[in-house]
Amino acid sequence: MKYLGFAAGFLSVSAVAAAADTRELTVYTYDSFVADWGPGPKIEAAFEATCDCDLKFVGVEDGAALLARVRLEGERSEADVVLGLDTNLMAAATETGLFAPSGVEAAYDLPVEWADPVFVPYDWGYFAFVHDKGLEPPANFRALGESEVSIVIQDPRSSTPGLGLLMWVKAAHGDDAPAIWEELADNIVTVTKGWSEAYGLFLEGEADMVLSYTTSPAYHLIAEEDAGKAAAVFDEGHYMQVEVAALMETSDTPDLGREFLQFLVSDAAQSILPTTNWMYPAVMPEGGLPDGFGQLVTPEDALLFPPEEAAAIRDEALDEWLRALSR
Amino acid sequence: MAARAQPVSAWPGAVAAALVAAVILGTLGTVAATAEAGGRFAPGDWAALRFTLVQAVLSAVLSVGLAVPVARALARRRFRGRAALVALLGAPFILPVIVAVLGLVTVFGRAGWVSAGLGLLGLPPLSIYGLHGVVLAHVFFNLPLATRLILQGWQEVPDERFRLAAQLRIEGWAMWRLIEWPMLSRVVPGALAVVFALCLTSFAVALTLGGGPRATTIELAIYQAFRFDFDLGRAALLSGVQLVLTIAAASLALAAGAGAGFGAGLGRAVRRWDARGRAARAGDAAWIALAAVFLIVPLAAIVAAGLPGLADLPVQVWRAAGVSLLVAAGSTALVLALALPMAAAVARGRMGVVEVSGLLGLAASPLVIGTGLFILVRPVADPFALALPVTALVNAVMALPFALRILGPAAREAVAAHGRLALGLQITGWRFMALVMIPRLRAQIGFAAGLSAALSMGDLGVIALFADPETATLPLQVYRLMGAYRMEQAAGAALLLLVLSLALFWTLDRGGRWHAEA
């Protein structure tokens, strides 16, 4: 039985949990948030400087996986705060009954009214098609459909931007959405599992445009000093992604959790987000936006379904999308 | 046959097989049990099933069909750089999907090298997107594996056979009928089953290069059921369908691949006295060159993309590389601990169940295994603390089918050839393993270990579900860098991954053959 002994020993080696005396706050978030170049480490340092506590981030793939994880764990979850859901996931999150009112008050700088007592918006952005500056981009979905411009998009079944695009077309064109998708079908080079694959293909030159965010060019501008990328402005408006955080009903340190959520909309945290998460801050920091963000395009109209409506539309929109693109 | 005494016992292998089956079926059952109501097939799932089968059959037939002449050529020729080429053959299918796809796109894409060349001739660019793109990528991933598996079959034919054939002037058709065809008919069905099963669970490749929703596979449907709809019942049901398909394919392959071996030889390198003609040489050279170009050019694209980023890799990438090496080491040890007794059990014959259990790993969805393990581990320990051991365990289960394919036939030969003598000398059980089996299987153990280690290095599956900031593996770090727009560093990290995986593979594979190819 030597093998089994080996296997068992191997499994138990790291099963030792560390106990801590200081207050501990566990925050579940998506994976890119906790990466060393993401906002996680800086947020952690800034919060720990004020709270006399230990902030522990746990990264789980993306927003959709994050919600699946919390649903799986249910009331036994160790998470005190969940950070990284968006308005498209909020209805499903509310339905779990796992989240508690935040008590957070802030003067949000969002293009939409925000009055939700549970979910705290911490940053936001517009979905947009990013292209090289040499390209003269179409002005809306109809023009895109009629043009020869090629695009890469993400699959709504496996990625949150992909789902955002479904909502965008639906919000802009309502019942005409299926017709728009049929027009777009021959512009779509391919559909990828996630954002990374799509953006990678775009950078390889496989398509003229890629579904991303209006803030994407800011990265190239600020971090790479490359002014060659731009986001196309569509005159029917741009769907927004508002990223939210919420306190778990089951948290054993709800006060510390609320403290963290309030910190999240404070100047200290908000000034970190633009150049780490590459999104707009939910509350404008005193110092304003970083250089480079001023050169970004701003859509005239912000489109956003309220959470319940988004959840209700989702399945129908997915059906229409599948039907149009499976021809 | 059943009553004959055997030098090895079957129970350690049976225990190992039961363990593997428990991990895969237990996690599936756990997910199904957690589901609120029974799952049902959605309308799109039938289309997904059909597409999955079509692309997997095409990919398997093409990969293995092309691998036969390539392996034959490699088996018959000795040339400078042959060892390096054979080692490189391990490379494509250990790469993270996104890296391999971007490598292929650089070569075959709309803005790729081939299209640029066509443009110079005034021809339209290639389109890599569609069923043909999926199959192209799957052949790129699996041709090397199939070649290695078949090449091994060739090398297991005792040199004495060819020596005798040469003396009897057996060449051409007779050689094919007497030696090559019997060998292939044993090895090819297994290779087909492995490649088929691998392509069955493909998802990111099929979606990205398939061009869109038409290229939906069952694995994507599982993903959707779990992540989009949180319908665990449907996820479990679809995962079950995937398992049934693999078991069916595996059973067919095992039935077809049964048959007697070639008896014992002294284990010298294969030398061929036929095939010395000019036409045979030119043919072999052409096959080797074609395969090399097809495999190496996309790899070269990955190297070219990665070199600029290699210089300023962040320290986290190096840390992740260390984590990946650790996981690979644990996973490899586990694979050998499971596969050797299983191979011994298989060698006794009539152990189809053990073989099928070993193949389960190919069909299981990492998402479902990961989720099931998570549900199981949760009440007793912190899943995040267990992230690395769990990843190593799942990687081991996933690599087991390959290890078993590699070790099985050789173990059978070893028992058939030396079993009686060993029994006469009362060398049985552990002593047979230590004195006969392991030394005879050294080359195969090295190959299996190298492959498992490299596969584990490249795996993204479970770690993405369990990761916390400190325990990222290298493939996960590649994705994180891409997610932060750092494409150049991501390409550099991908190149590092390629180099480390190849080095690991080469070292272990080489170690196994040390002094064995005199």
Side-chain angles (χ1 to χ4, degrees):
Chain A
M1 291 301 286
K2 207 166 162 192
Y3 324 130
L4 287 181
F6 169 78
F10 185 62
L11 279 175
S12 61
V13 172
S14 52
V16 189
D21 294 335
T22 48
R23 297 191 298 167
E24 197 181 276
L25 188 74
T26 304
V27 176
Y28 283 13
T29 184
Y30 47 80
D31 199 62
S32 62
F33 198 89
V34 301
D36 296 80
W37 38 82
K42 286 182 184 146
I43 297 264
E44 186 177 340
F47 185 59
E48 283 177 354
T50 66
C51 74
D52 183 32
C53 69
D54 182 17
L55 175 62
K56 197 175 135 217
F57 279 116
V58 171
V60 187
E61 268 189 284
D62 64 11
L66 190 58
L67 181 59
R69 160 62 59 87
V70 181
R71 284 166 107 167
L72 208 55
E73 293 182 350
E75 294 180 354
R76 293 169 307 156
S77 180
E78 271 168 34
D80 296 303
V81 169
V82 172
L83 184 159
L85 306 176
D86 67 11
T87 43
N88 291 330
L89 297 168
M90 265 172 61
T94 306
E95 215 173 282
T96 63
L98 287 169
F99 296 98
S102 66
V104 166
E105 286 184 13
Y108 293 119
D109 287 296
L110 300 170
V112 291
E113 280 295 306
W114 194 271
D116 194 279
V118 174
F119 296 93
V120 179
Y122 60 90
D123 66 14
W124 63 280
Y126 294 107
F127 290 112
F129 286 95
V130 171
H131 59 91
D132 284 325
K133 272 195 178 152
L135 180 88
E136 188 57 48
N140 50 47
F141 280 113
R142 274 186 215 286
L144 173 58
E146 283 159 15
S147 74
E148 298 278 292
V149 173
S150 58
I151 56 175
V152 191
I153 61 173
Q154 296 87 358
D155 196 302
R157 295 167 293 177
S158 57
S159 82
T160 40
L163 183 56
L165 179 61
L166 276 195
M167 295 297 167
W168 185 3
V169 173
K170 204 71 190 160
H173 294 278
D175 292 342
D176 282 345
I180 295 288
W181 280 115
E182 267 165 45
E183 278 289 304
L184 288 177
D186 61 352
N187 298 82
I188 298 170
V189 171
T190 194
V191 178
T192 64
K193 170 181 176 260
W195 180 90
S196 300
E197 286 87 349
Y199 213 82
L201 287 177
F202 164 67
L203 291 181
E204 287 281 327
E206 288 299 291
D208 302 324
M209 306 207 291
V210 60
L211 177 69
S212 192
Y213 298 90
T214 54
T215 40
S216 298
Y219 175 83
H220 298 287
L221 206 62
I222 296 171
E224 293 181 337
E225 293 174 1
D226 169 11
K229 303 274 186 292
V233 182
F234 279 12
D235 55 23
E236 64 251 87
H238 285 241
Y239 200 75
M240 292 169 62
Q241 183 170 40
V242 181
E243 298 199 284
V244 298
L247 177 70
M248 291 285 286
E249 185 80 62
T250 50
S251 167
D252 48 7
T253 56
D255 292 340
L256 185 58
R258 288 198 185 93
E259 208 179 301
F260 175 73
L261 290 173
Q262 189 68 56
F263 167 80
L264 207 55
V265 292
S266 73
D267 219 48
Q270 289 291 311
S271 59
I272 291 170
L273 289 165
T275 52
T276 50
N277 224 25
W278 303 102
M279 298 282 270
Y280 287 109
V283 177
M284 192 56 70
E286 272 169 35
L289 287 168
D291 291 342
F293 272 70
Q295 297 177 43
L296 301 179
V297 295
T298 4
E300 296 269 313
D301 291 311
L303 307 174
L304 187 69
F305 286 121
E308 303 75 37
E309 216 174 309
I313 290 171
R314 199 192 69 158
D315 287 346
E316 184 196 335
L318 180 67
D319 254 9
E320 291 170 358
W321 182 81
L322 284 172
R323 225 169 300 147
L325 293 195
S326 294
R327 294 252 167 91
Chain B
M1 171 101 177
R4 207 179 78 198
Q6 298 275 8
V8 283
S9 50
W11 67 265
V15 169
L19 206 74
V20 172
V23 168
I24 293 166
L25 301 178
T27 49
L28 179 59
T30 307
V31 172
T34 312
E36 281 167 8
R40 265 181 312 127
F41 254 51
D45 292 346
W46 290 108
L49 182 62
R50 201 172 56 232
F51 176 79
T52 306
L53 283 175
V54 167
Q55 61 85 10
V57 167
L58 275 177
S59 304
V61 168
L62 267 173
S63 300
V64 175
L66 292 171
V68 170
V70 174
R72 184 168 190 255
L74 280 170
R76 302 205 297 196
R77 303 292 157 203
R78 292 285 174 278
F79 53 91
R80 282 169 68 95
R82 180 181 176 279
L85 183 64
V86 172
L88 259 184
L89 286 182
F93 103 126
I94 55 179
L95 284 167
V97 163
I98 188 168
V99 175
V101 165
L102 289 180
L104 282 173
V105 159
T106 311
V107 178
F108 298 105
R110 292 153 51 97
W113 298 347
V114 175
S115 291
L118 290 174
L120 290 180
L121 301 173
L123 295 166
L126 287 183
S127 170
I128 196 180
Y129 305 98
L131 181 62
H132 61 283
V134 177
V135 173
L136 176 83
H138 282 161
V139 172
F140 175 73
F141 276 110
N142 297 308
L143 171 65
L145 177 71
T147 304
R148 279 300 303 252
L149 288 173
I150 295 169
L151 179 58
Q152 207 199 325
W154 243 292
Q155 280 169 341
E156 275 157 18
V157 177
D159 190 35
E160 289 78 359
R161 287 286 173 127
F162 290 113
R163 206 174 279 267
L164 185 64
Q167 272 169 348
L168 299 174
R169 296 194 186 280
I170 292 174
E171 280 175 10
W173 175 245
M175 173 71 98
W176 173 257
R177 193 169 51 84
L178 289 172
I179 296 184
E180 298 189 315
W181 172 247
M183 183 282 293
L184 285 176
S185 66
R186 275 189 320 131
V187 177
V188 163
L192 276 173
V194 167
V195 177
F196 172 82
L198 271 174
C199 298
L200 207 59
T201 54
S202 159
F203 142 46
V205 169
L207 188 61
T208 305
L209 294 179
R214 263 166 306 189
T216 296
T217 61
I218 302 178
E219 185 75 14
L220 174 60
I222 295 174
Y223 209 79
Q224 182 197 349
F226 183 70
R227 294 266 302 271
F228 191 85
D229 302 325
F230 199 67
D231 184 348
L232 293 180
R234 195 168 143 243
L237 176 78
L238 289 164
S239 192
V241 168
Q242 208 160 275
L243 278 178
V244 168
L245 284 176
T246 308
I247 292 172
S251 308
L252 273 177
L254 291 176
F262 286 92
L266 289 174
R268 279 187 293 238
V270 173
R271 210 171 317 152
R272 295 283 295 263
W273 284 266
D274 63 326
R276 277 185 296 186
R278 194 169 289 174
R281 269 190 222 198
D284 285 352
W287 278 110
I288 293 171
L290 274 177
V293 167
F294 176 59
L295 297 170
I296 289 173
V297 172
L299 290 177
I302 294 166
V303 174
L307 277 177
L310 209 53
D312 66 337
L313 283 181
V315 62
Q316 293 81 11
V317 168
W318 298 102
R319 200 169 62 204
V323 169
S324 279
L325 285 171
L326 201 70
V327 171
S331 167
T332 306
L334 214 50
V335 168
L336 291 182
L338 290 168
L340 272 171
M342 283 173 80
V346 168
R348 290 171 49 108
R350 299 169 62 99
M351 287 296 283
V353 179
V354 170
E355 288 203 59
V356 169
S357 161
L359 274 172
L360 285 182
L362 283 178
S365 159
L367 193 65
V368 172
I369 293 195
T371 307
L373 279 176
F374 183 86
I375 299 171
L376 288 171
V377 164
R378 191 80 190 44
V380 288
D382 175 8
F384 299 111
L386 283 177
L388 293 183
V390 162
T391 305
L393 172 70
V394 175
N395 285 349
V397 169
M398 298 287 183
L400 189 63
F402 306 105
L404 220 50
R405 270 292 98 211
I406 294 161
L407 296 175
R412 207 174 287 150
E413 300 282 299
V415 169
H418 305 283
R420 276 175 208 220
L421 180 62
L423 275 177
L425 296 171
Q426 312 239 307
I427 298 174
T428 56
W430 283 111
R431 292 183 58 221
F432 182 81
M433 289 294 272
L435 292 175
V436 182
M437 187 80 102
I438 290 174
R440 297 292 308 171
L441 263 60
R442 212 170 50 164
Q444 286 80 8
I445 291 173
F447 176 27
L451 205 56
S452 309
L455 256 180
S456 180
M457 284 293 289
D459 176 69
L460 185 68
V462 181
I463 190 74
L465 279 169
F466 282 78
D468 66 36
E470 285 87 45
T471 49
T473 58
L474 199 44
L476 183 59
Q477 211 63 278
V478 171
Y479 268 87
R480 282 183 177 171
L481 283 163
M482 293 190 85
Y485 295 93
R486 304 186 173 208
M487 302 293 169
E488 192 168 277
Q489 288 180 343
L495 176 57
L496 178 67
L497 178 63
L498 177 67
V499 170
L500 282 179
S501 302
L502 265 183
L504 211 53
F505 177 76
W506 190 81
T507 311
L508 289 169
D509 188 36
R510 194 71 212 155
R513 285 187 288 137
W514 192 248
H515 283 236
E517 264 194 8

